[in-house]
Amino acid sequence: MTIPGLPMTVPAANLPARVRIHEVGARDGLQNEKTTVPTPVKAEFVRRLASAGLTTIEATSFVHPKWVPQLADAEQLFPLVRDLSELSDLGVALPVLVPNERGLDRALALGARQVAVFASATESFAKANLNRTVDEALAMFEPVVSRARAENVSVRGYLSMCFGDPWEGPVPVGQVVRVCRALLDMGCDELSLGDTIGVATPGHVRRLLTELNETDVPTSTLAVHFHDTYGQALANTYAALEHGVTTVDASAGGLGGCPFARSATGNLATEDLVWMLQGLGIETGVDLTGLVATSTWMADRLGRPSPSRTVRALSHKDSQGSQASQDSQEQ
Amino acid sequence: MTIPGLPMTVPAANLPARVRIHEVGARDGLQNEKTTVPTPVKAEFVRRLASAGLTTIEATSFVHPKWVPQLADAEQLFPLVRDLSELSDLGVALPVLVPNERGLDRALALGARQVAVFASATESFAKANLNRTVDEALAMFEPVVSRARAENVSVRGYLSMCFGDPWEGPVPVGQVVRVCRALLDMGCDELSLGDTIGVATPGHVRRLLTELNETDVPTSTLAVHFHDTYGQALANTYAALEHGVTTVDASAGGLGGCPFARSATGNLATEDLVWMLQGLGIETGVDLTGLVATSTWMADRLGRPSPSRTVRALSHKDSQGSQASQDSQEQ
């Protein structure tokens, strides 16, 4: 239920005037959902996200279908949404994930203009996810990045496990900085700092950002990608905004984390992020009502409620009186 | 599942060294749960919270049983836990809510040494919750506060709807400041700024705290009480810490908000708060493992999982390998 005038807009000092949301629901979200979504529904999802005002929508992944069966339809899906990037009035960026040169070939053949590679800050996760050492993975990405750049295709580098690793525990900040530096030196345009298991806290976020700056990585090339496993994602995002970060990854409706699984490790929900940014008076171009409607629609397709608290609050269908009478028990 | 060494402790500049958590699960939490918990279970809950290191545990409410049937056993419960405040090695404060002089009489008769009154920042909520205007409610509290003070009993003033109201929408900051000032002038020792419907964002929090300071309300008398309706509670708490707030209200396991209700308006979960504070190197005295065990135990009594993300993550019973293999699908 929407309450007119809320959230109140009260800016805080020294925050960016505008934030670009990098919407990952259609890729990072759906690849972690148990339900496989039909291709036309995915296309409609991407279109609705664009209509809600999102300007960067990660569309799919050109990994081998064996590894991510939920996104095995990348070849079919991308042509269904590609025009969004060509319409001058929308001008939506539609990055796609490419794990290697083969993936890049497939993406380029379909006209992708933005791609992303995914590296790991830790040896354990590089081994588990890519069956390579960290440096072997970087070597695998090098031709992907240089060939993409040669075609004027921009490259985002995802970096997983920046704040902790399920096998290794703590991850030294210097180790993360080293891999970031390597990805930038290779030619990546943007880095997304991933808290894959959701363990980061705000001081840790600020420390990593500061150390990156000290090794000449400008904040303008950095995005943050938080998971809400321990409920920390939005507080971490706020700390990153205070540091000057202006690109934030989020997943519409919190897709990718099941609200009923005890191990829910979902992405930050785009709606929870937009609520905060709206309250802070930070422009995103996103229409929260339209976004909530899109996530509610997608939740119906998946057959379960959204884990986003904002989606649940705003899609509440009771009357204001009913909501208010419930609140009157709170003191 | 606990991962040794996580969260990493990385302090941020200019934050308090220590935070006192005002635990509201046994009162604000249970009064909003549908299940009525037997008195001995409540007493055991309070004892387990104390064992986990919480030093301020709001025990119950001496309102008329007709209004809050879940806490109708205040007379029976308080004597079962009172000794916690008398044991010198624990020295736990056990505040209780008192709506009026009759409630104060009942609380004092049982030996309560800390009480709390609950005021409203808005006329609509004062009317709905207390059937009075804001000023009539303040007048009702005046003898409660003065009599408590005369007996050397400390008084906390709760203030509801500080950041928005379900009937009125926006709540002017000046209106909140006025009621805060009145509560302090009346003799309250501490004020808890309540975001009863969870709509606050960090800039709004800082603005209210700043304006309170400008009218000579010192930050040391202030506590913050955030609800997670829109997922903002922890980000707001972080903003309050940056302002110097050192008392934070939270509810063990996020009690008071049902994870399956679309209208969940639960309190900030104590575990999510402790995770952040631990990462920031801020002392609380709380043992997170013991607290999670307590909330899991209580969730079993209530017959449903805890809405706290940290509780769900840490009470995950799968092996590390299983957790890790799930993470390997995240990129």
Side-chain angles (χ1 to χ4, degrees), chain A residues 213-254:
Chain A
N213 293 160
E214 282 165 2
T215 47
D216 295 327
V217 176
T219 303
S220 58
T221 62
L222 298 172
V224 288
H225 183 110
F226 294 120
H227 280 213
D228 219 15
T229 322
Y230 298 83
Q232 311 292 308
L234 200 58
N236 290 334
T237 301
Y238 181 66
L241 297 178
E242 288 188 314
H243 190 89
V245 167
T246 57
T247 304
V248 179
D249 296 6
S251 174

Side-chain angles (χ1 to χ4, degrees), chain A residues 129-300:
Chain A
N129 199 42
L130 303 165
N131 199 26
R132 282 171 170 76
T133 67
V134 167
D135 288 335
E136 284 166 0
L138 290 173
M140 174 173 73
F141 298 139
E142 196 145 14
V144 177
V145 176
S146 61
R147 283 186 47 208
R149 297 278 303 207
E151 307 239 13
N152 268 325
V153 166
S154 74
V155 186
R156 155 178 267 227
Y158 277 104
L159 192 56
S160 291
M161 305 296 172
C162 291
F163 300 92
D165 176 285
W167 297 272
E168 301 179 19
V171 176
V173 172
Q175 184 174 322
V176 181
V177 170
R178 181 184 80 81
V179 187
C180 283
R181 200 56 268 172
L183 286 166
L184 281 182
D185 291 344
M186 178 185 302
C188 286
D189 301 280
E190 179 174 272
L191 298 182
S192 173
L193 305 170
D195 181 19
T196 316
I197 57 170
V199 296
T201 51
H204 197 168
V205 172
R206 299 199 73 158
R207 173 79 58 85
L208 174 56
L209 293 169
T210 302
E211 293 205 13
L212 283 166
N213 293 160
E214 282 165 2
T215 47
D216 295 327
V217 176
T219 303
S220 58
T221 62
L222 298 172
V224 288
H225 183 110
F226 294 120
H227 280 213
D228 219 15
T229 322
Y230 298 83
Q232 311 292 308
L234 200 58
N236 290 334
T237 301
Y238 181 66
L241 297 178
E242 288 188 314
H243 190 89
V245 167
T246 57
T247 304
V248 179
D249 296 6
S251 174
L255 278 180
C258 174
F260 303 127
R262 302 179 81 185
S263 56
T265 57
N267 288 284
L268 171 61
T270 311
E271 291 85 355
D272 297 7
L273 171 64
V274 170
W275 183 277
M276 182 176 81
L277 296 176
Q278 202 166 304
L280 287 164
I282 295 175
E283 260 190 77
T284 63
V286 174
D287 167 38
L288 184 56
T289 305
L291 182 58
V292 167
T294 297
S295 292
T296 307
W297 172 85
M298 189 43 127
D300 287 346

